[in-house]
Amino acid sequence: MENTPYFTNDAIVFGLIALALAFIFYTSSKKTGFWGKFYGIVPALLLCYLIPAIFNSLGLIDAESSQLYYVASRYLLPASLVLMTLSIDLKAIVNLGPKALIMFFTGTIGIVIGGPLAILLISSVSPETVGGAGPDAIWRGLSTLAGSWIGGGANQAAMLEIYKYNPEKYGGMVLVDIVVANVWMAIILLGIGKSKRIDKWLKADNTAIEKLKEKVSTFAEGVKRNPTLSDLMVMLGLAFGAVGIAHWGAGGMSALFSDIPKDSALASFGSTFFWMVTIATAIGILLSFTKAKNYEGAGASKIGSVFIYILVASIGMKMDLTTIFENPGLIAIGFVWMGIHAGLLILVAKLIRAPFFFLAVGSQANVGGAASAPIVAAEFHPSLASVGVLLAVFGYVVGTYGAILCTILMEMAAAG
């Protein structure tokens, strides 16, 4: 029982999270003095993620014993996707050009080649770290990381089924996944605060992104009004009505593909989460062709942002900062792997002069999936959240294929 968190009641846990978010937003609104200087260095979004992680590390709360992440990811995430895509301009997103896709696939390639390269590098220092035989072979366990970091949970489960890693040791791989992916996300969030300087170094052309932001902002200003109670109730009705449809449709679609074996490269289509995100996004896009898009003027994307920040905090709850040094060998493989992914993204971004926005979202569409790609995209501007989720859907589709290729290369590297 020594690992039982101090607060197990979700009402108390949510209260702590809400207070933390209120404190962050209140202090970040101060543009002068200590807080002005502080938030000039540390992005508010990073703290929304880090403070719950500190609560978890201190043993105050624990994501495993809480339903907060489940509620945020299954109810608030699809609702936020609908609200933040109400004013989407598909033509303007298309006009962003091919750089978004190039950076996404660069991120995928970085994961595919990063695994085997990490094994080769770590094996030269610590051969036993990448050893093991049969079901205990480390490369089998790392295959689940490849699935998670290219697609998501469904792809991760598919790789566990395909390569039959020892279930008793699987927890160690989950730990590496959580630690490395979350540390990398924290670095990206830190970079968002310096995005202008990074773009200058990359010699990036932000014209298309700025045009999209300006177009959405101009539209929002044109329909801006003080929201009435009716406006708020209609927006919540649209959002959570869509959530209900998304869950209903996801149940039906996943059942339709239920005959697909878990070890199939098409396993993602059997995931209810995949269909929930896809259907919610589609509903938001369809609503953008109706008068419902005018609710952006009443603050639709702001309400969506509230839901997103609650999701960020619930993701932060999953991070225990004290576990970073529990399994140094595997953690080292994870960080080398993620370093190769990051290095390749930076190299290609520099070569094609892609903005940091495409680098950050392209990476998170792979590593974080639909839970974090919209978060990162929306931090640049709420109108860009849909870019993150659309790329994340690509990740679900190509995840298992990329992970299988990565695993074949890792097996060869381990044998070598």
Side-chain angles (χ1 to χ4, degrees):
M1 296 296 291
E2 61 182 9
N3 293 324
T4 302
Y6 190 78
F7 297 115
T8 56
N9 185 321
D10 269 344
I12 300 172
V13 174
F14 183 64
L16 276 175
I17 294 300
L19 283 171
L21 292 173
F23 170 78
I24 293 164
F25 275 84
Y26 176 75
T27 53
S28 65
S29 68
K30 305 294 182 182
K31 302 303 178 186
T32 57
F34 169 77
W35 291 116
K37 294 176 182 176
F38 178 80
Y39 286 103
I41 300 170
V42 181
L45 182 60
L46 178 59
L47 280 190
C48 295
Y49 167 81
L50 198 57
I51 289 178
I54 293 171
F55 288 163
N56 183 26
S57 304
L58 293 174
L60 295 175
I61 60 178
D62 177 29
E64 291 298 317
S65 60
S66 170
Q67 290 296 306
L68 188 55
Y69 174 74
Y70 181 85
V71 171
S73 62
R74 267 58 177 185
Y75 302 123
L76 300 186
L77 173 61
S80 69
L81 294 177
V82 173
L83 291 169
M84 297 177 89
T85 52
L86 275 179
S87 58
I88 191 173
D89 189 325
L90 283 179
K91 185 178 178 182
I93 287 180
V94 171
N95 289 339
L96 288 176
K99 289 183 180 179
L101 280 177
I102 291 172
M103 293 309 296
F104 167 77
F105 284 113
T106 297
T108 304
I109 293 168
I111 297 298
V112 170
I113 66 172
L117 288 176
I119 287 177
L120 289 173
L121 290 169
I122 297 298
S123 65
S124 65
V125 179
S126 176
E128 65 277 7
T129 301
V130 297
D136 294 334
I138 293 300
W139 64 265
R140 293 182 189 274
L142 294 176
S143 72
T144 64
L145 288 187
S148 176
W149 289 349
I150 299 176
N155 306 86
Q156 186 176 32
M159 300 310 291
L160 186 62
E161 289 285 335
I162 293 171
Y163 291 103
K164 309 294 182 186
Y165 183 59
N166 187 344
E168 293 180 6
K169 294 188 175 184
Y170 178 52
M173 294 298 168
V174 173
L175 176 65
V176 177
D177 183 6
I178 292 171
V179 170
V180 176
N182 283 295
V183 168
W184 173 234
M185 183 177 176
I187 292 171
I188 284 178
L189 296 180
L190 201 59
I192 292 174
K194 312 289 183 186
S195 59
K196 288 185 179 178
R197 290 170 61 183
I198 295 172
D199 284 343
K200 188 176 180 181
W201 179 76
L202 291 171
K203 297 180 180 177
D205 180 10
N206 269 312
T207 307
I209 294 174
E210 292 303 321
K211 280 184 179 178
L212 175 59
K213 287 160 59 174
E214 185 181 344
K215 194 170 184 180
V216 173
S217 298
T218 302
F219 171 76
E221 282 297 316
V223 295
K224 189 175 181 179
R225 63 183 187 273
N226 288 325
T228 64
L229 179 59
S230 294
D231 287 333
L232 295 172
M233 294 303 289
V234 170
M235 285 188 285
L236 290 176
L238 288 172
F240 288 102
V243 171
I245 294 170
H247 276 260
W248 173 70
M253 293 302 292
S254 61
L256 190 64
F257 291 95
S258 61
D259 291 336
I260 296 177
K262 288 185 178 180
D263 59 358
S264 167
L266 298 175
S268 294
F269 291 99
S271 165
T272 53
F273 187 76
F274 166 78
W275 287 111
M276 179 196 71
V277 168
T278 303
I279 292 169
T281 305
I283 291 172
I285 292 171
L286 287 173
L287 288 172
S288 73
F289 290 100
T290 71
K291 288 184 179 180
K293 72 182 300 179
N294 291 331
Y295 281 106
E296 175 59 26
S301 63
K302 289 184 176 66
I303 297 173
S305 295
V306 171
F307 297 158
I308 282 285
Y309 279 104
I310 294 171
L311 176 62
V312 172
S314 70
I315 292 173
M317 283 174 56
K318 299 169 73 175
M319 178 65 174
D320 185 348
L321 301 172
T322 64
T323 61
I324 291 176
F325 304 106
E326 273 190 10
N327 195 333
L330 283 178
I331 295 290
I333 292 175
F335 277 122
V336 170
W337 191 346
M338 196 60 70
I340 293 167
H341 165 79
L344 187 61
L345 280 167
I346 293 168
L347 175 63
V348 173
K350 184 75 172 172
L351 289 173
I352 68 172
R353 299 185 177 185
F356 180 66
F357 168 75
F358 289 145
L359 186 157
V361 177
S363 173
Q364 282 304 298
N366 281 284
V367 178
S372 58
I375 293 169
V376 171
E379 182 63 8
F380 287 89
H381 193 274
S383 64
L384 300 173
S386 50
V387 179
V389 73
L390 291 173
L391 287 177
V393 170
F394 274 117
Y396 283 120
V397 175
V398 305
T400 306
Y401 297 104
I404 289 172
L405 175 58
C406 177
T407 306
I408 293 169
L409 295 174
M410 287 194 292
E411 183 180 7
M412 293 167 62

